[in-house]
Amino acid sequence: MHTNYYFLRQLAPALTDRLRGYRVAVCFSQEKDELVVGLTNGTQEFWLKAQLGANLPALALPETFQRARSNSVDLFPDLLGEQVETVVPWPQDRVLQVNFRSGARLVFKLYGPRPNAIFRAAPDAPAQLFQQKLLADADLRPQTAPPASSSKSDLSTESDKSAVQTKLPPPLADLPARYLRQNGYDAASPETKTRMVHQVLAQLEKPAHYYLIQLDGRTRLSLLPLGDVLETLPGDDPVAALRRFVPMALGRRALEMETKQLRQLLERRADEASAAATHARQRLHALAHEAGYRHTADLIMANLHDIPAGATQIEVVDFYTNQPKLIKLKRTEKPQHTAENLYRKGKNQQIEERQLAERIARREAEALAAMERLEEMDTVPGLAELRGLRAWRKQHGLDPTPAAAKAPTELPFKVFEDRGFTILVGRNATNNDLLTQKYAHKDDLWLHAKDVTGSHVVIRHKAGQPVPEPVIEHAAQLAGWYSRRQHDSLCPVTVTPKKFVRKPKGALPGQVVVERERVVLVKPGNPFDGQ
């Protein structure tokens, strides 16, 4: 209720008593959505700090304030030197107006979704807006005098009692309405409803206490005891209540927001790590149940003398299982060459299995660590304070710093490094689309074996560094090796910046159109195979 009419009508006369005769010394902003006004009577100072953001609009009254030396902008220059006459609330509204002796007006509009400050050097002068995008606020007219009924509610007349019986007055806002309903308002008779509303209005017009409460996960200032009461303050000093409430609310709001963000970060890390471990485990299981490349190569070499020239398949007895096994061959390829390729694939398969096992262990450890941190957030008492939460977050490397904002992710492609440049190779048609359409930057180099199906290859661009020709040659060899020209003596390979590669509408996975290209001839192979 710190912006509610019933609190502002208590705050306004208290500010008038404190500020009458004070002059505006400075008016500036040094943070987004913050307006600071410093006033003095020659010997004492008083600060008004308007928080004009949608999250927590408030009029803070810090006892002291130090202006920053940088990132500070003077505002409302015509306000300087103005002498305060009165501070008044607008009737039945969340607006506080400071009247100056010259006729100037400074209005603090404390609406939740669109707060603002409006200054007029004279009642009919053009409006100067703090939030300049809220152009409609220029038409808000300051009150020329305090509301006539400043001490009594409009509901005190007999003619309004019938309205009270069926509908609560809008200025009550949500807290008084919840207080009434919590105390049986909805089930009460019309006469009892009227009596209850007038009792609450009497408490609001002259509160005995101000309450700092926790309700629905939010810290709020209330004129009625509601929710979890954190502190009870005297009802005769709204300035002191506001000075206590705003820092507490801002601190608790920051704690709630950072706790929520930290919990979401840990949950996301745990989910991503678990999913990655599961995917790697499935791939490892599939590799374990496939017929080993080395096993097949051994069978070809053992039966080499029985394989006729040009054969496309051969049935042999598997000496590991003593069962017949059918092995497919290529008509144009010698069996020895087929076995050589299978041995190479077997070596790569062993490397992949080892890498998968390491990935599973690493990702499972990451998921477990994230779950442990989540459990600590619910059990460590010190995390209920913002300072303790930030220290704990820093201790575990969870600071949202730009360097750690996004952890490096494992790319779903074959990855090679050459002379400081990264080469990415697609695994299949769908993976090619992912590489070319989602991961590749427009200035990356794109390569593909010409006129045949094969993997898309991308050389990552490095600003200010042209790609050396040896790197292009090695990437072209990879493009030929992972294509249908794998066993050709020479393979033509298309090379072009990715910005000249586009995917036509309706094209099949992996299909693209190249608009500009140059062609290099290389021998297909994997130049990194021995690394």
Side-chain angles (χ1 to χ4, degrees):
M1 293 185 69
H2 66 287
T3 62
N4 183 263
Y5 167 67
Y6 288 101
F7 177 75
L8 296 181
R9 67 185 293 168
Q10 308 298 323
L11 180 64
L15 289 176
T16 297
D17 293 341
R18 300 273 187 105
L19 294 179
R20 182 177 279 122
Y22 276 61
R23 291 184 182 275
V24 177
V26 291
C27 180
F28 61 92
S29 177
Q30 61 188 34
E31 293 185 14
K32 183 182 179 183
D33 299 331
E34 174 191 270
L35 175 66
V36 181
V37 181
L39 305 102
T40 181
N41 63 357
T43 59
Q44 294 178 311
E45 63 182 28
F46 195 96
W47 293 93
L48 296 172
K49 186 172 78 167
Q51 305 281 156
L52 300 175
N55 289 332
L56 183 67
L59 191 63
L61 307 173
E63 296 189 57
T64 60
F65 193 88
Q66 296 296 325
R67 183 173 183 176
R69 295 184 179 181
S70 59
N71 299 325
S72 179
V73 180
D74 290 317
L75 296 174
F76 301 152
D78 296 337
L79 180 59
L80 301 183
E82 293 286 351
Q83 194 170 16
V84 177
E85 177 64 28
T86 59
V87 181
V88 297
W90 286 16
Q92 312 298 328
D93 210 341
R94 293 166 289 169
V95 178
L96 199 67
Q97 175 178 301
V98 183
N99 299 321
F100 299 95
R101 291 180 179 176
S102 68
R105 303 287 187 264
L106 178 61
V107 174
F108 295 103
K109 188 189 75 167
L110 302 174
Y111 295 178
R114 52 190 190 284
N116 205 353
I118 306 106
F119 173 68
R120 293 178 186 271
D124 296 326
Q128 301 176 42
L129 306 178
F130 176 77
Q131 301 280 15
Q132 299 185 19
K133 62 184 178 181
L134 302 178
L135 299 177
D137 287 350
D139 297 328
L140 292 176
R141 304 301 301 181
Q143 300 294 307
T144 56
S149 56
S150 60
S151 60
K152 288 187 177 182
S153 168
D154 295 339
L155 295 170
S156 60
T157 62
E158 290 293 329
S159 61
D160 289 330
K161 288 184 179 180
S162 60
V164 175
Q165 294 173 4
T166 57
K167 186 177 181 181
L168 296 175
L172 282 183
D174 64 325
L175 292 185
R178 289 181 69 161
Y179 179 80
L180 282 168
R181 293 190 171 101
Q182 181 176 296
N183 287 276
Y185 176 85
D186 290 333
S189 64
E191 294 78 10
T192 304
K193 286 183 176 180
T194 301
R195 177 173 51 80
M196 291 175 66
V197 169
H198 281 279
Q199 288 175 347
V200 168
L201 289 175
Q203 290 178 265
L204 296 177
E205 290 168 359
K206 194 173 182 180
H209 299 96
Y210 296 113
Y211 303 94
L212 304 184
I213 66 171
Q214 188 80 7
L215 185 65
D216 297 337
R218 295 171 57 195
T219 303
R220 305 184 66 178
L221 174 66
S222 175
L223 279 62
L224 300 164
L226 194 67
D228 296 327
V229 178
L230 305 175
E231 289 187 32
T232 301
L233 305 171
D236 58 355
D237 194 349
V239 172
L242 204 56
R243 281 176 171 167
R244 178 72 184 114
F245 164 71
V246 174
M248 176 186 285
L250 290 174
R252 285 181 169 267
R253 180 67 61 89
L255 174 64
E256 293 160 5
M257 183 178 299
E258 291 187 23
T259 299
K260 180 180 179 181
Q261 291 173 346
L262 188 54
R263 190 176 294 278
Q264 289 175 342
L265 171 65
L266 289 170
E267 289 174 349
R268 184 169 63 251
R269 284 191 180 182
D271 291 343
E272 289 177 353
S274 296
T278 300
H279 183 270
R281 194 178 293 106
Q282 291 172 346
R283 174 61 180 161
L284 186 61
H285 181 270
L287 289 176
H289 287 76
E290 288 179 357
Y293 294 118
R294 179 176 292 275
H295 180 183
T296 304
D298 288 344
L299 294 176
I300 291 176
M301 295 304 294
N303 294 274
L304 197 59
H305 59 284
D306 292 330
I307 302 176
T312 58
Q313 63 182 26
I314 182 175
E315 185 174 343
V316 299
V317 176
D318 189 336
F319 43 75
Y320 291 105
T321 63
N322 204 31
Q323 298 292 325
K325 179 180 176 63
L326 186 66
I327 300 175
K328 292 185 178 181
L329 301 171
K330 294 183 179 179
R331 184 187 301 276
T332 58
E333 183 177 79
K334 293 182 178 180
Q336 296 93 324
H337 198 178
T338 301
E340 180 184 344
N341 291 334
L342 289 173
Y343 280 127
R344 183 184 295 110
K345 289 183 178 181
K347 178 182 177 182
N348 292 338
Q349 182 175 332
Q350 290 176 345
I351 295 173
E352 184 179 2
E353 288 174 348
R354 184 176 68 251
Q355 291 175 343
L356 286 171
E358 293 172 353
R359 184 183 304 173
I360 291 169
R362 184 176 67 254
R363 300 299 266 171
E364 286 181 342
E366 291 174 4
L368 180 60
M371 296 302 295
E372 289 175 347
R373 299 291 88 81
L374 283 169
E375 289 181 7
E376 287 181 26
M377 290 187 68
D378 296 326
T379 56
V380 176
L383 302 187
E385 297 292 335
L386 185 60
R387 182 177 298 177
L389 179 71
R390 288 176 174 173
W392 180 86
R393 185 180 65 190
K394 185 176 182 180
Q395 175 189 350
H396 294 289
L398 299 171
D399 272 338
T401 56
K406 190 171 183 180
T409 56
E410 296 174 356
L411 296 173
F413 316 108
K414 295 183 179 73
V415 182
F416 304 92
E417 294 291 335
D418 189 13
R419 293 171 172 78
F421 287 83
T422 300
I423 303 173
L424 305 178
V425 180
R427 295 180 180 274
N428 51 49
T430 303
N431 196 241
N432 284 340
D433 273 350
L434 181 67
L435 172 59
T436 300
Q437 305 302 322
K438 301 294 183 183
Y439 278 78
H441 184 268
K442 66 175 184 177
D443 292 324
D444 292 346
L445 279 184
W446 183 89
L447 301 91
H448 192 278
K450 191 170 179 62
D451 300 329
V452 294
T453 58
S455 293
H456 294 192
V457 177
V458 167
I459 306 175
R460 281 282 174 87
H461 168 73
K462 297 179 74 173
Q465 298 186 38
V467 182
E469 283 301 320
V471 176
I472 296 176
E473 181 180 346
H474 291 164
Q477 287 182 282
L478 290 172
W481 182 250
Y482 292 105
S483 76
R484 288 194 176 275
R485 294 187 184 273
Q486 183 182 68
H487 304 297
D488 290 2
S489 57
L490 284 176
C491 172
V493 176
T494 294
V495 183
T496 187
K498 190 278 174 181
K499 61 186 175 184
F500 298 126
V501 180
R502 61 182 179 85
K503 186 173 183 65
K505 186 176 181 180
L508 296 175
Q511 286 186 344
V512 294
V513 172
V514 180
E515 296 178 346
R516 301 183 189 178
E517 63 179 311
R518 70 183 177 101
V519 177
V520 296
L521 283 174
V522 294
K523 181 179 180 180
N526 184 349
F528 309 100
D529 193 32
Q531 297 182 3

